[in-house]
Amino acid sequence: MRENNGFKTAALHNLGCKVNAYETEAMEQQLREAGYVIVDFRQPADVYVINTCTVTNVADKKSRQMLHRARRQNPKAVVVAAGCFAQVSAEDLKRELTADIIIGNNQKGQLCRLLEEYERNDSQEKAQEEGLSGRRLSDRGIRRPGQALSDLSHAVEYEEMELSTVLEHTRAFIKIQDGCNQFCSYCIIPYARGRIRSRRPEQAVKEIRGLADQGYQEVVLTGIHLSSYGADFKGEDISLLSLLREIQEIPGIRRIRLGSLEPGIITEEFVRELAALDKVCPHFHLSLQSGCDATLKRMNRHYTTAEYEEKCQILRRFYTHPAITTDVITGFPGETEEEFARTKAFLEKIGFYEMHVFPYSVRKGTRAASMPDQVPEQVKKERSAQLLDLTRAMSEHFRMYYAGQEMEVLLEEEAELGGHVYMTGHTKEYIRCAFEKGEKNRVVAGEFIKILQNDVVFCR
């Protein structure tokens, strides 16, 4: 335990994307190294860290709820609001006295220093007020939030955070990029995350080598706008592809999985080079958002449906049966029944493995928030329900392709299904499989096995 610090336990809660998840793990590692004991978020703790999200109104609401929950669990605790919601709503949090420390993006590596600084300042203020009043303040009745916020509109430096171990036993998420320059009309993230910033390839490779030495065999590269990786390294021959070539050569790494990609990165040359790297999984999350050209234009997406279809065709030319997944927004301002019908027909035409479906969420400060013809919430929900039915059907169709085929599965964990104990894991296409354990199947997490589809249960 650290000297001159009364904190003994810390609890963390993550909201949002895989980038946030990586950063939460990195902050947890900082706290462990500084002497904190990490406890479950549902337990009383001396410090609560909530890594917030602001991608939708629901995310904002959940972020606030978790901050209030932490305060209820231990009114004496130091509550830290970090991340995207903290970045764009810092003034609200300060006014509401919701958090004791507000940490925006690009400052999360300073967590322990900020905790020490806050505790020091808090103690000094209490001592001063005791001297003036002759009595002690109770349970931090007066809170003066500290904060660390960067002006991300001008940020050019990538905040280096590194993991020496990860919470998952078999798969490691590696953040290599931050920020976005796209400014889609519905999206608040460029304001929450700032402009594009890439991690130095030597730092990413060093981290992955360390994790491979610990036995991790699959890495997932994540970023806010992964396709732009390396674009900020002017005059250097650094790109997502060049980094993938380096990771391909790391002993012990058997799978490389990519996070969300923009359609623009998919070219004949790029995919030809990608297909030559046998560790790269044939699983591509290719962001779409709408299957209607008029809607895409209002969204400020920089492609047409014809161009998007061509990108999918390129992937299918170089990979036998790639898993192509996507995101879709329903009820974007001005989306008519005809436009929605075009979107649904386009989705059926492409034939995705899975779709993440989101009703449009108004984000204050974005262009879409002031657009005319806002779609009623009930209509958004009805359209989302239709697309969720569609994705279930397409996912089932995709998985049935493997009937009778041998698949390689990376085992991850035990699970109880219908009263039986199964081992579960994923194929390189990210199909989750389970097969029943028994006397003949003495396997453990972290193993690769080859198994016929007839012997497994597909799980969602």
Side-chain angles (χ1 to χ4, degrees):
M1 196 61 57
R2 297 182 300 176
E3 295 180 358
N4 303 318
N5 191 330
F7 306 149
K8 296 180 180 180
T9 57
L12 300 94
H13 184 80
N14 181 68
L15 293 159
C17 63
K18 296 300 184 183
V19 172
N20 254 25
Y22 174 91
E23 293 167 346
T24 300
E25 288 192 38
M27 287 190 287
E28 178 175 322
Q29 182 171 296
Q30 288 178 52
L31 291 167
R32 287 185 188 278
E33 291 173 353
Y36 287 89
V37 175
I38 306 301
V39 298
D40 189 278
F41 193 85
R42 293 166 292 186
Q43 298 179 8
D46 299 303
V47 174
Y48 290 97
V49 181
I50 297 90
N51 201 9
T52 62
C53 177
T54 192
V55 71
T56 64
N57 285 326
V58 173
D60 282 1
K61 183 178 179 181
K62 287 182 178 179
S63 296
R64 274 199 165 91
Q65 286 174 339
M66 297 311 296
L67 291 165
H68 287 299
R69 177 176 170 182
R71 182 71 74 212
R72 287 195 305 272
Q73 289 181 170
N74 183 6
K76 298 181 182 181
V78 175
V79 177
V80 180
C84 293
F85 179 68
Q87 180 76 41
V88 300
S89 302
E91 292 305 314
D92 290 341
L93 292 176
K94 286 199 297 184
R95 185 170 57 254
E96 298 163 6
L97 300 177
T98 309
D100 299 302
I101 301 175
I102 302 166
I103 304 178
N105 292 313
N106 239 35
Q107 298 289 333
K108 295 174 183 176
Q110 304 299 313
L111 172 61
C112 289
R113 179 185 66 78
L114 293 166
L115 282 168
E116 290 174 353
E117 187 177 286
Y118 179 84
E119 177 69 6
R120 184 167 57 250
N121 292 342
D122 191 51
S123 298
Q124 290 172 356
E125 289 177 4
K126 284 184 177 182
Q128 290 172 1
E129 298 212 19
E130 282 179 32
L132 292 172
S133 65
R135 63 186 179 82
R136 187 173 181 82
L137 295 174
S138 62
D139 295 346
R140 287 194 175 91
I142 297 176
R143 296 177 180 270
R144 296 176 176 83
Q147 73 173 45
L149 294 172
S150 298
D151 179 4
L152 293 180
S153 64
H154 297 96
V156 294
E157 294 295 327
Y158 178 90
E159 183 187 23
E160 185 60 47
M161 302 175 79
E162 184 174 315
L163 289 175
S164 58
T165 187
V166 295
L167 297 180
E168 281 206 40
H169 299 298
T170 57
R171 179 182 300 110
F173 290 87
I174 309 297
K175 179 187 169 186
I176 65 168
Q177 187 277 334
D178 208 337
C180 181
N181 294 356
Q182 297 300 101
F183 289 93
C184 299
S185 62
Y186 53 82
C187 189
I188 196 69
I189 296 305
Y191 305 95
R193 285 281 178 174
R195 305 299 81 78
I196 60 169
R197 306 180 299 285
S198 301
R199 187 179 189 184
R200 294 296 310 181
E202 56 269 22
Q203 292 297 325
V205 169
K206 175 189 171 187
E207 180 176 359
I208 295 170
R209 286 187 185 279
L211 292 169
D213 289 343
Q214 293 184 55
Y216 295 95
Q217 300 178 80
E218 180 176 322
V219 292
V220 185
L221 303 187
T222 66
I224 298 300
H225 193 259
L226 193 63
S227 299
S228 68
Y229 177 80
D232 49 326
F233 295 139
K234 304 299 182 184
E236 300 186 63
D237 188 20
I238 297 174
S239 66
L240 181 59
L241 198 55
S242 67
L243 177 60
L244 288 169
R245 292 192 189 104
E246 290 193 60
I247 300 172
Q248 169 82 13
E249 300 303 318
I250 297 177
I253 297 298
R254 292 180 59 175
R255 284 183 183 174
I256 306 168
R257 203 175 293 277
L258 294 171
S260 181
L261 297 175
E262 286 293 310
I265 198 173
I266 304 297
T267 64
E268 288 267 358
E269 181 181 4
F270 177 82
V271 180
R272 182 181 293 108
E273 295 287 338
L274 203 63
L277 305 176
D278 62 352
K279 294 182 181 180
V280 174
C281 294
H283 170 211
F284 303 99
H285 189 83
L286 204 58
S287 183
L288 174 61
Q289 308 306 350
S290 175
C292 170
D293 288 335
T295 308
L296 287 173
K297 189 172 182 179
R298 293 197 303 278
M299 289 177 165
N300 196 34
R301 301 291 291 174
H302 305 291
Y303 50 83
T304 65
T305 53
E307 290 167 342
Y308 186 96
E309 183 178 1
E310 180 187 2
K311 308 300 184 179
C312 295
Q313 290 172 350
I314 291 172
L315 288 170
R316 285 167 174 159
R317 279 202 296 273
F318 285 92
Y319 292 93
T320 303
H321 193 241
I324 302 176
T325 62
T326 198
D327 301 314
V328 184
I329 296 173
T330 63
F332 187 76
E335 184 185 64
T336 63
E337 286 295 337
E338 181 183 357
E339 288 183 345
F340 174 70
R342 288 180 183 174
T343 288
K344 187 175 180 181
F346 183 75
L347 299 174
E348 292 175 316
K349 181 180 182 182
I350 296 297
F352 293 99
Y353 165 40
E354 285 183 338
M355 300 186 300
H356 300 159
V357 181
F358 304 94
Y360 167 69
S361 180
V362 177
R363 311 307 295 130
K364 183 181 177 181
T366 63
R367 281 190 292 151
S370 59
M371 285 182 176
D373 303 319
Q374 296 284 329
V375 177
E377 290 299 320
Q378 186 58 36
V379 174
K380 295 178 193 177
K381 291 179 181 178
E382 290 170 358
R383 292 175 183 175
S384 293
Q386 290 186 51
L387 296 191
L388 289 172
D389 287 341
L390 177 60
T391 192
R392 282 188 283 269
M394 289 195 296
S395 183
E396 178 72 12
H397 182 265
F398 182 88
R399 292 195 298 268
M400 286 304 101
Y401 170 87
Y402 295 95
Q405 296 190 39
E406 185 180 70
M407 299 181 296
E408 184 181 69
V409 179
L410 172 57
L411 299 178
E412 295 163 19
E413 60 184 356
E414 278 191 6
E416 187 173 322
L417 302 171
H420 298 272
V421 178
Y422 286 79
M423 283 298 297
T424 66
H426 286 85
T427 70
K428 58 187 179 179
E429 295 85 7
Y430 209 62
I431 299 173
R432 186 167 179 248
C433 303
F435 73 98
E436 191 169 1
K437 290 190 69 175
E439 287 299 318
K440 296 181 180 179
N441 296 328
R442 296 182 178 276
V443 291
V444 296
E447 286 187 35
F448 279 88
I449 63 165
K450 290 189 176 180
I451 191 166
L452 287 174
Q453 181 273 332
N454 296 341
D455 298 322
V456 305
V457 176
F458 286 146
C459 308
R460 287 189 62 81

